[in-house]
């Protein structure tokens, strides 16, 4: 990830953004103590620009723009390996879903997957279970 | 014959017909009539993880309404994703009266209101707890002797804890089934590692990487084949093997079957109950090498 300068202040940590992510995900973000266990077991980590524990840290700190611009929030497939292993009971997958939904709920079409971009040949080959799950998770 | 209400899910009616027909036929041999629901809809395939998104829970709940209308208090599905989505939506509405009320308002045209009366079962759980593997072993007419099977669980059968009917880190229900059928389960360290799921649509290169690792791990254990209970895992691990081979020239092709196909084989069901023609990597050579087809 490119270098970023972050100013941490109490205003950020108690911002409406942090409150919204905590509400949608039903998680207490400050429970996370950054052990890194979620990232260690994540099958998608190799394909992420920021790791799951970094996502949680950035969410604690209210790093709104960086999080919503990251690729990793779309790469997570909700396999829930992290959730079952977190020693603090943080549901990481739920938190990442809250970030995705925050992007998708802006009212603009912020879709990560556009159905028109899927080639007709691929559309015919792919089973419905793949198409429907992809569209449910990656488009609004 | 015991009657069991059955929710097949969309993909078992097209790409995964082999899963559907092998389920119905093999359960028939166990004196269980798998009775498909007269009406059902797609469950939405994935559970919505947001606390406030009620809309995405409507599709699974309308299926629960259908089961209630058929007079059932429980129903079964073999698809790991349908199981997960139906079961989690059911847990949500059982635990959250506000969500249940909103859903019943959304589906105001339904004559039946849902209040959490129905239970969701997975076929593997039903086999283990109701039929029992001992009883299944007695119905085997063609023991799968010598067949080495790697059991792949993926993510949604055993996660999260509230839907899991087996250990979340080291499930063994499929290995026990395989042993009951006379085959040999092989150790499989990546058995609960996600295959990349729906990224097969937009990022097939991720699936190629996952397939290379997961199937490579099964090949290292000298498995003859891999069994699954999810049509999305099946598609990824079977059809994406060409991509995996391009990524890793040493990649070794291995067939992927549904656990119900092994049951149908061991119980002596007709060939039409197996639909071995629907696979990308042909399972016949591996089965023929063990004298099974
Ligand atoms: S496993 Fe839990 S506590 Fe550890 S870094 Fe991840 S979210 Fe934080
Ligand atoms: S749910 Fe997402 S972040 Fe957690 S292990 Fe799976 S892919 Fe990684």
């Amino acid at each position: 990830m490119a270098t970023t300068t972050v100013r941490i202040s109490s205003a950020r940590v108690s911002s409406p953004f942090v409150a919204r992510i905590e509400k949608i995900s039903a998680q207490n973000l400050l429970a996370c103590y950054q052990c890194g266990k979620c990232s260690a077991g994540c099958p998608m980590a190799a394909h992420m620009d920021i790791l799951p524990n970094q996502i949680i840290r950035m969410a604690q700190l209210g790093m709104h723009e960086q999080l919503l611009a990251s690729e990793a929030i779309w790469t997570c497939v909700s396999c829930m390996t992290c959730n079952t292993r977190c020693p603090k009971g943080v549901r990481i997958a739920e938190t990442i879903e809250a970030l995705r939904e925050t992007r998708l709920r802006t009212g603009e079409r912020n879709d990560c997957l556009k159905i028109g971009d899927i080639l007709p040949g691929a559309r015919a080959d792919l089973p419905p279970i793949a198409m429907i799950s992809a569209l449910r998770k990656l488009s609004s | 014959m015991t009657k069991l209400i059955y929710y097949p899910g969309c993909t078992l009616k097209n790409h995964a017909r082999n899963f559907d027909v092998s389920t119905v036929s093999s359960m028939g041999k166990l004196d269980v009539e798998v009775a498909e629901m007269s009406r059902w809809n797609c469950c939405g395939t994935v559970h919505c993880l947001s606390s406030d998104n009620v809309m995405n829970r409507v599709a699974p709940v309308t299926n629960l309404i259908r089961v209630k209308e058929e007079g059932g208090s429980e129903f079964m599905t073999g698809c790991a994703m349908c199981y997960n989505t139906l079961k989690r939506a059911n847990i949500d509405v059982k635990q959250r009266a506000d969500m249940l009320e909103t859903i019943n308002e959304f589906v105001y045209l339904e004559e039946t209101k849902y209040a959490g009366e129905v239970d969701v079962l997975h076929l593997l759980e039903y086999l283990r707890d109701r039929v029992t593997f001992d009883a299944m072993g007695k119905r085997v007419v063609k023991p799968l002797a010598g067949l080495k099977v790697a059991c792949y669980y993926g993510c949604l059968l055993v996660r999260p804890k509230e839907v899991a009917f087996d250990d979340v880190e080291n499930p063994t229900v499929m290995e026990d089934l395989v042993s009951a059928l006379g085959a040999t389960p092989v150790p499989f360290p990546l058995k609960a590692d996600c295959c990349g799921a729906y990224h097969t649509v937009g990022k097939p290169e991720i699936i190629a990487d996952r397939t290379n690792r997961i199937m490579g791990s099964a090949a290292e254990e000298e498995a003859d084949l891999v069994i699954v209970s999810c049509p999305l895992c099946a598609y990824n691990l079977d059809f994406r093997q060409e991509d995996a081979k391009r990524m890793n020239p040493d990649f070794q092709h291995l067939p992927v079957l549904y656990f119900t196909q092994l049951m149908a084989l061991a119980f002596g069901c007709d060939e039409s109950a197996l639909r071995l023609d629907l696979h990308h990597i042909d399972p016949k050579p591996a089965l023929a090498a063990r004298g099974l087809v």
Side-chain angles (χ1 to χ4, degrees), chain A:
Chain A
M1 199 174 47
T3 318
T4 23
T5 309
V6 187
R7 242 185 79 88
I8 300 166
S9 72
S10 56
R12 279 194 94 112
V13 178
S14 56
S15 70
F17 172 77
V18 177
R20 187 186 323 128
I21 299 304
E22 290 200 323
K23 179 162 184 283
I24 298 178
S25 64
Q27 299 308 301
N28 168 18
L29 293 174
L30 288 176
C32 166
Y33 57 11
Q34 288 294 303
C35 68
K37 201 167 179 179
C38 48
S39 304
C42 173
M44 294 295 131
H47 307 278
M48 287 179 173
D49 52 355
I50 45 173
L51 297 173
N53 72 303
Q54 293 174 315
I55 295 177
I56 302 299
R57 188 78 179 122
M58 288 162 73
Q60 288 174 335
L61 298 175
M63 293 170 70
H64 188 151
E65 299 81 13
Q66 291 95 327
L67 275 172
L68 297 192
S70 78
E71 190 53 40
I73 62 170
W74 303 106
T75 312
C76 163
V77 272
S78 308
C79 76
M80 286 165 289
T81 310
C82 52
N83 285 15
T84 60
R85 293 182 182 172
C86 173
K88 296 291 285 177
V90 177
R91 291 181 166 242
I92 299 97
E94 272 79 344
T95 311
I96 300 178
E97 180 119 327
L99 292 162
R100 275 195 297 270
E101 292 233 345
T102 301
R103 267 282 299 270
L104 294 171
R105 289 177 189 181
T106 55
E108 301 148 28
R109 292 298 302 218
N110 267 324
D111 294 358
C112 173
L113 179 72
K114 294 180 181 63
I115 197 162
D117 293 346
I118 308 168
L119 298 172
R123 257 187 270 171
D125 283 348
L126 288 161
I129 196 170
M131 290 291 274
I132 297 162
S133 51
L135 292 167
R136 275 247 161 148
K137 289 285 187 180
L138 306 174
S139 71
S140 49

